[in-house]
Each structure stands twice: as C-alpha cells, then as structure tokens.
Amino acid sequence: MVLIGKKDLEYFENTFIHKFDNATIIGLLLTLVLIFASQTEVILSNPIHILLIAVPLTIQTVVIFFIAYIASKIFGLSHDIAAPAGMIGASNFFELAVAVAVALFGTTSPAALATTVGVLTEVPVMLALVKVANSTKGWFKNEG
C-alpha cells in the first residue's frame, strides 16, 4: 500500500478510491463520445442498424428482469433481494463490453458501435425497471 503511505485501509476504501469517481465517469462519457464521433457516417447511412441493436436489447432486458423479479416473488423472497436479482439478471455489463471492444477492435469498429448503442439503450431501460421495482414493492411480503 505504497500509494496511501501511512493511511489505513479505511482511508483507502472510503476516501482515496472515491477521489477517482468523477474521473471514471468522465472517461466513460468521453469514450462514448469518441466512439459515436468516429461512427457518425455509419450511423447516418444505416440508422436501421441502431434499431436492430436497440429493439431486441430492450425486449431482452425487460423480459429477463420480469422473469427474475416474478420468480423471486414466487419463491417468497423479499423485495430487497428480488429487485437486485432482476436488475443483475437483466444487465448486460456493456461498460465492460465497450472497453473490450475498443481495446480489441478500435473505436471505429462495428463492435464498438454495437456496445455503445447497448449502453445508451440499457441505461434508460434499467432506470425504467428501477421505477417499476420501486412501485411494486407492495407485491412482496411485509413490505409496502
């Protein structure tokens, strides 16, 4: 732990690591902007490709969320277990996919475009599913 000197593990986990939170968000956003900037010709000449990625992804995310969420209810799990189970099951971890696609194929690759469209599709869908999970909390035992 040379980086933190004489500070303890609590400082490292609760203070030092959080100093980089904004940098990681900015890095991801800049990566997405760079990918879209390098893909503008492809996007504008083939907008149907964006729909061919976004529509099935939206359907898949919603269906998998509800399978896990309803199964959790059937098995008698609490809402605080069911909601994350649905979210984790439905997540596609596109942030990692973007990083891998860019590292392996470059920012101008179709893989980078697909993963970027995935991120931009998945985020609003997942936020909508969070709203659904919060509004259906009363479905679960001892919660409401």
Side-chain angles (χ1 to χ4, degrees):
M1 295 297 227
V2 175
L3 289 175
I4 60 173
K6 298 191 186 279
K7 305 286 184 178
D8 61 1
L9 186 59
E10 180 182 347
Y11 169 81
F12 180 73
E13 291 176 348
N14 297 325
T15 305
F16 184 77
I17 293 291
H18 294 291
K19 291 182 180 189
F20 298 97
D21 288 348
N22 291 335
T24 57
I25 292 169
I26 291 168
L28 177 60
L29 291 175
L30 286 176
T31 301
L32 295 175
V33 168
L34 178 65
I35 291 169
F36 265 106
S38 66
Q39 297 277 351
T40 52
E41 187 176 319
V42 174
I43 292 168
L44 294 175
S45 63
N46 299 307
I48 193 77
H49 291 166
I50 305 305
L51 289 175
L52 289 173
I53 297 167
V55 172
L57 176 62
T58 300
I59 294 168
Q60 171 212 326
T61 303
V62 170
V63 168
I64 292 174
F65 169 81
F66 279 108
I67 288 171
Y69 194 62
I70 292 169
S72 295
K73 179 178 174 20
I74 291 169
F75 286 116
L77 299 175
S78 62
H79 180 264
D80 63 342
I81 300 295
M87 295 297 165
I88 292 167
S91 176
N92 292 293
F93 302 102
F94 276 109
E95 297 78 8
L96 177 61
V98 168
V100 171
V102 169
L104 291 177
F105 307 111
T107 59
T108 59
S109 70
L113 175 64
T115 57
T116 304
V117 171
V119 170
L120 296 175
T121 301
E122 186 181 46
V123 169
V125 171
M126 294 296 268
L127 290 173
L129 293 173
V130 167
K131 186 171 176 87
V132 168
N134 286 337
S135 66
T136 57
K137 190 175 185 179
W139 289 3
F140 295 83
K141 292 186 222 174
N142 302 323
E143 304 200 39

